[in-house]
DNA sequence: CTGTTAGCGCCTTCAG
DNA sequence: CTGAAGGCGCTAACAG
């Protein structure tokens, strides 16, 4: 963080304000404000005169000033890197609801260390957001404190199981999803089910997925000598490596459950490269149902959670709270769906 | 767009402000402000006292008020849907530079009709942005006018060829990139080179790619009876359809140049599905070098433009202008690279 | 229906 | 080095 930008700058030709519009329309500034925000409270012809002027001059109210005096209208969000994940869809969902409700989305993204995270939250809070949506894991206690001291409602998009939200939460139970997929694979007759995820350390979603996977195996009476689990970066290359590593651990592994489609796609490519038939020689299951999943050869068996809906829902929760609804559920669990295709 | 949010709301426990900090520190508000923004101008011990208090109370300056009085520190951006494209990387690049320079990114995204576009620009402008970055095509004349009337510098991330930017532009020449790839394919000995793109109407980048493709063929003396061109949605399914359609137009087509990796990946899958060897039976080339390209089987021959860098550069241009540099180039053309892998 | 007053929280400017 | 005054542009609250 460098020090804030330049000073007041040279006297740029200031865009004209409400006062000037008022003067030209021969009314008080307040009347212009009303014509814009509360048109019924102004007589039709004054209103017409004002709006015509506004239109002609291209007047755009200063939201900074407006938010200061009346309601806040920024919704701040902190997200992990947009690249390579369903995050983009979530942001899209958030964005859509925000705009439909007259809010603006202020976005902070990055790969957060606890320190950077605290800064990000500080930055967000400085803009007096009406609400906050956090999609990154809040780790630092300082950040937590900052958030709790604040007045803005907060929605975390997160694992909903075993996580006490700061305020509200929207998400799926990653435990359940992974449990369901693993059971599904067992039911399809697979005997040696491998599991890949990114490093789960400090990421409760992935942790829950792994626990769900393990629990499902346990419940179905599967027990392996060596755990068929690896941790790899969430890239196609990671998926390819998973094939390598898991077949080394146990050559008899017959399906790999990848905790992300990205991994799964990489794994599928690796099989092609080896000339392995999918799902006969090795089956692959993913998580996420990205666009490509259905088009992949062979089409990817995966698990769909509606990320776009999650983004929407998050903002909607915020809005309900802002509108003063009192019965807004603290935790909103969204559904999921196993998409059984060809790869497993 | 619904009418703006709720009123002032109930009297929430207002986060304490600079005045309160000042009172507790036994100084004037101004001194607190200085301690925060211009520490050298305050005596070491007053400063220490103030900062300690700020820290302890979790005071966060109100950026709204601050931006109003002094410099603007929002950078507004309008982007097409983040889903399914390199846009996310661009946003990441923008975001990174913004935060490093103490700015905030205000994001508006959507699938823009001219009307929605105008609204989006209005919305952005209302926040008094220090600068604007536009990645969507500005179509409506009203929007153009709004932008030109404003005082904020503007960077368009766009096609750089044959496009007169509103203010500044950063981008690649899509003509050159497509020309280069097409030539490359000719040089590799392909004789019947098909081309897929999304509907080019109103999208000058795609238009330029197609023109580049055509020009390269012309320059190399390739002439086809029926044009080997199709327009399809930029999805994997579109890529699959392209294989279908182009081989119908001309069964002898030996390579398909896809104007996006997404299309290319879909095309590759379709070949697998048909049991066609790539590149022997049909070769595929992409555009973009997404993550998966290198991992795909067979690895995708494609063209790399550094979208992250584009995002960074866009903000950097803005900042240079804001810092008063006068020799900022109007158009910044970034390079590209043909990545020759296995698929073509 | 319209206008006046006052002030959101901060910072520029000018005076100690 | 520190403080007081005043205002950025807008709108709540209260007159008229």
């Amino acid at each position: 963080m460098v020090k804030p930008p330049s000073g007041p700058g040279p006297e740029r030709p200031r865009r004209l304000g409400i006062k000037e519009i008022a003067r030209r329309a021969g009314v008080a500034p307040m009347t212009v404000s009303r014509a814009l925000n509360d048109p019924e409270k102004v007589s039709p012809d004054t209103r017409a005169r004002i709006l015509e002027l506004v239109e002609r001059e291209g007047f755009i109210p200063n939201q900074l000033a407006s938010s200061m005096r009346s309601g806040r209208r920024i919704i701040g969000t902190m997200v992990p890197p947009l690249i390579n994940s369903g995050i983009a869809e979530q942001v899209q969902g958030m964005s859509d609801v925000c705009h439909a409700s007259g809010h603006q989305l202020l976005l902070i993204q990055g790969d957060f260390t606890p320190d950077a995270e605290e800064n990000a939250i500080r930055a967000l809070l400085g803009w007096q957001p009406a609400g906050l949506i956090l999609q990154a894991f809040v780790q630092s206690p300082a950040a937590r404190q900052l958030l709790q001291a604040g007045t803005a409602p907060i929605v975390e998009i997160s694992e909903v199981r075993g996580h006490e939200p700061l305020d509200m939460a929207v998400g799926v139970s990653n435990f359940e999803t992974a449990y369901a997929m693993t059971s599904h694979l067992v039911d399809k007759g697979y005997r040696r089910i491998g599991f890949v995820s990114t490093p789960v350390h400090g990421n409760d979603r992935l942790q829950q997925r792994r626990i769900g996977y393990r629990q499902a195996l346990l419940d179905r009476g599967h027990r392996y000598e060596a755990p068929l689990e690896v941790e790899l970066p969430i890239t196609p290359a990671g998926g390819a490596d998973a094939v390598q590593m898991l077949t080394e651990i146990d050559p008899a592994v017959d399906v790999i459950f990848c905790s992300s489609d990205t991994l799964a796609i990489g794994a599928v490519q690796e099989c092609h490269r080896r000339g392995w038939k999918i799902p006969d020689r090795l089956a692959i299951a993913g998580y996420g149902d990205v666009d490509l999943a259905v088009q992949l050869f062979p089409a990817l068996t995966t698990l769909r959670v509606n990320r776009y809906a999650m983004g929407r829902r998050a903002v909607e929760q915020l809005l309900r709270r802002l509108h003063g609804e009192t019965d807004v559920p603290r935790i909103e669990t969204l559904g999921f769906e196993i998409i059984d295709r060809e790869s497993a």
Side-chain angles (χ1 to χ4, degrees), chain A:
Chain A
M1 265 282 272
V2 171
K3 98 179 239 182
S6 51
E11 3 52 43
R12 328 193 122 182
R14 221 182 276 292
R15 188 180 282 278
L16 79 180
I18 205 174
K19 268 204 311 238
E20 183 56 18
I21 298 283
R23 203 184 54 71
R24 298 196 194 179
V27 296
M30 195 54 232
T31 306
V32 175
S33 173
R34 271 195 282 253
L36 257 19
N37 301 318
D38 233 339
E40 318 89 64
K41 297 194 151 184
V42 175
S43 82
D45 59 333
T46 338
R47 180 178 28 187
R49 194 152 31 97
I50 292 173
L51 292 182
E52 201 262 329
L53 210 49
V54 163
E55 176 70 19
R56 184 148 48 78
E57 300 296 339
F59 167 70
I60 300 175
N62 183 333
Q63 300 291 340
L64 257 26
S66 171
S67 310
M68 234 170 114
R69 198 72 190 87
S70 53
R72 320 173 148 187
R73 54 201 74 174
I74 282 183
I75 291 189
T77 187
M78 179 170 77
V79 301
L82 259 36
I83 300 170
N84 267 338
S85 63
I87 297 288
E89 293 181 28
Q90 278 180 33
V91 172
Q92 184 85 49
M94 293 170 31
S95 177
D96 288 354
V97 182
C98 278
H99 298 143
S101 68
H103 288 84
Q104 278 300 329
L105 201 60
L106 198 63
L107 182 85
I108 298 206
Q109 63 177 328
D111 229 342
F112 296 105
T113 61
D115 234 42
E117 180 188 65
E118 192 187 324
N119 284 334
I121 289 175
R122 281 200 134 75
L124 245 26
L125 253 17
W127 290 99
Q128 313 296 110
L132 249 30
I133 296 179
L134 307 176
Q135 305 188 56
F137 189 63
V138 179
Q139 314 168 63
S140 95
R144 284 197 122 68
Q145 208 173 348
L146 234 39
L147 289 168
Q148 278 161 335
T151 69
I154 300 168
V155 174
E156 290 166 273
I157 295 189
S158 70
E159 167 60 39
V160 297
R161 182 169 182 266
H163 172 73
E164 190 52 27
L166 285 162
D167 184 2
M168 293 177 281
V170 167
V172 297
S173 162
N174 287 272
F175 173 87
E176 277 182 38
T177 52
Y179 187 97
M181 176 58 95
T182 307
S183 305
H184 177 75
L185 295 173
V186 171
D187 291 345
K188 286 189 90 168
Y190 293 105
R191 313 308 315 271
R192 301 201 151 263
I193 303 174
F195 181 79
V196 208
S197 70
T198 32
V200 303
H201 176 70
N203 182 328
D204 56 351
R205 299 171 216 213
L206 293 174
Q207 225 151 42
Q208 289 298 331
R209 286 182 205 168
R210 191 161 74 182
I211 296 174
Y213 156 80
R214 289 177 181 169
Q215 189 62 45
L217 289 184
L218 226 55
D219 290 355
R220 304 296 175 115
H222 280 236
R223 206 154 301 169
Y224 308 139
E225 329 237 303
L228 289 176
E229 297 173 8
V230 289
E231 291 189 353
L232 286 160
I234 188 169
T235 60
D241 291 347
V243 172
Q244 172 69 25
M245 292 170 66
L246 285 169
T247 51
E248 263 171 25
I249 295 176
D250 182 351
V253 60
D254 53 5
V255 61
I256 298 178
F257 174 21
C258 300
S259 65
S260 119
D261 278 354
T262 304
L263 288 165
I265 290 166
V268 166
Q269 304 313 309
E270 176 63 19
C271 290
H272 286 323
R273 215 169 283 126
R274 295 171 176 228
W276 289 4
K277 269 261 197 259
I278 301 170
D280 303 338
R281 171 62 182 82
L282 180 64
I284 305 288
Y287 190 112
D289 196 27
V290 297
D291 244 34
L292 177 56
V294 64
Q295 287 301 321
L296 200 68
F297 176 78
L300 192 65
T301 287
T302 186
L303 189 149
R304 172 165 179 69
V305 310
N306 192 336
R307 308 271 267 171
Y308 176 80
M310 268 168 74
R312 288 193 67 97
R313 187 61 65 90
V315 178
E316 283 161 4
Q317 295 275 98
L318 234 39
L319 293 178
R320 289 173 62 185
R321 184 71 79 69
L322 292 174
H323 290 335
E325 287 184 41
T326 53
D327 59 337
V328 186
R330 261 171 76 69
I331 298 185
E332 185 81 6
T333 303
L334 299 188
F336 64 93
E337 198 183 344
I338 287 181
I339 316 273
D340 194 32
R341 291 194 276 241
E342 305 157 7
S343 72

